[in-house]
Amino acid sequence: KAALEKENEELRRRLAEAEQKLADALSEMDRMRAAIEKLKAEKAALEKELAEAKAKVAELEKKVGELQDALADAKAENAKLAAEKAALEKAVQDLKDKVGELEKKNGELQKALDQAVAEKKRLEAEHGALHGGHGDLKDRLSELEGRNAELEKKNAELMQDLMATKGENEKLKAEKEAMAKEIADLKQRLAEAEQKLADALSE
């Protein structure tokens, strides 16, 4: 009987240990389930954050592309305006050179005209002194008068060309100033586009 009770006690002890181990195992399983649920929630949150980050990256990449396109367009427009400005500056310089040549020719013609007028006056004085004069002086006077009229006509034409050229020069000068202003505006827009691109990339 004593042996039976001892064996009974041993079985109860082992049963209690088994029950405790089972309870510990169940408690560990509950803890693991809670940890798994927490990890699932964290994973879902991370996946959501990742999706939002990818969407933001895509949006920023699109914005960067648009800014790069705008920057390329602005640079192309700037290059075009710079070429047009250079062409206008060359046209202005060409007109200035032409004005200089016309002024030089006008001076030469004026000098020739003054000489012809002086010669005419001298011959007229000689003609008056001779009272009827000689036929060769009359012919010379007539020739000089014709030359004088021709020089006056050429001088008038040159003056007209000179005035027209000056007017065209003023027009080109105004166009050049307007072009310079437009280039300055475009450079400002280009700087703003580059700044926006830098801001977008820094985000």
Side-chain angles (χ1 to χ4, degrees):
K1 183 178 178 181
L4 184 61
E5 287 179 354
K6 183 178 181 182
E7 186 177 352
N8 244 351
E9 184 65 27
E10 179 65 19
L11 286 172
R12 278 196 290 271
R13 185 185 66 77
R14 290 171 62 186
L15 180 61
E17 288 178 356
E19 288 176 346
Q20 183 60 45
K21 286 181 180 179
L22 178 60
D24 292 342
L26 290 172
S27 177
E28 182 67 15
M29 284 180 64
D30 290 339
R31 189 183 67 79
M32 289 299 295
R33 285 194 191 97
I36 288 170
E37 290 300 322
K38 183 179 178 182
L39 287 173
K40 285 181 178 179
E42 290 177 356
K43 179 186 176 186
L46 284 173
E47 286 176 345
K48 181 181 178 182
E49 187 176 348
L50 178 61
E52 290 174 353
K54 285 182 178 179
K56 187 173 182 180
V57 167
E59 181 182 352
L60 287 175
E61 286 177 344
K62 181 182 177 182
K63 190 174 181 181
V64 167
E66 291 172 353
L67 288 173
Q68 286 177 337
D69 292 341
L71 184 62
D73 293 341
K75 286 181 177 179
E77 184 67 16
N78 186 44
K80 179 183 176 183
L81 288 174
E84 290 178 359
K85 180 187 175 187
L88 278 174
E89 287 176 345
K90 184 178 184 303
V92 169
Q93 187 58 48
D94 292 344
L95 280 173
K96 284 182 179 179
D97 294 341
K98 186 176 179 181
V99 167
E101 291 176 3
L102 288 171
E103 287 177 340
K104 181 180 177 182
K105 287 182 180 179
N106 184 54
E108 293 172 352
L109 283 173
Q110 186 62 48
K111 183 179 178 181
L113 181 61
D114 292 342
Q115 291 175 349
V117 170
E119 181 68 10
K120 177 186 176 185
K121 288 180 179 179
R122 186 183 67 80
L123 288 175
E124 284 175 345
E126 289 181 1
H127 177 70
L130 289 172
H131 190 64
H134 300 288
D136 56 344
L137 286 177
K138 288 182 178 181
D139 292 341
R140 177 61 176 163
L141 180 59
S142 177
E143 178 186 345
L144 285 174
E145 286 176 343
R147 176 64 176 161
N148 181 50
E150 182 181 346
L151 287 173
E152 286 180 347
K153 180 180 179 182
K154 286 186 177 180
N155 183 54
E157 291 174 352
L158 278 173
M159 287 299 294
Q160 186 176 359
D161 289 344
L162 181 61
M163 293 303 293
T165 303
K166 285 183 177 179
E168 188 175 353
N169 187 35
E170 290 298 323
K171 180 181 177 182
L172 282 173
K173 183 178 178 182
E175 290 180 1
K176 178 184 173 184
E177 291 174 354
M179 183 68 68
K181 183 178 183 301
E182 189 174 352
I183 287 175
D185 292 341
L186 185 60
K187 284 182 178 179
Q188 183 178 355
R189 286 168 53 199
L190 181 61
E192 290 174 355
E194 289 176 342
Q195 184 60 45
K196 287 181 179 178
L197 177 59
D199 293 343
L201 290 174
S202 65
E203 289 181 7

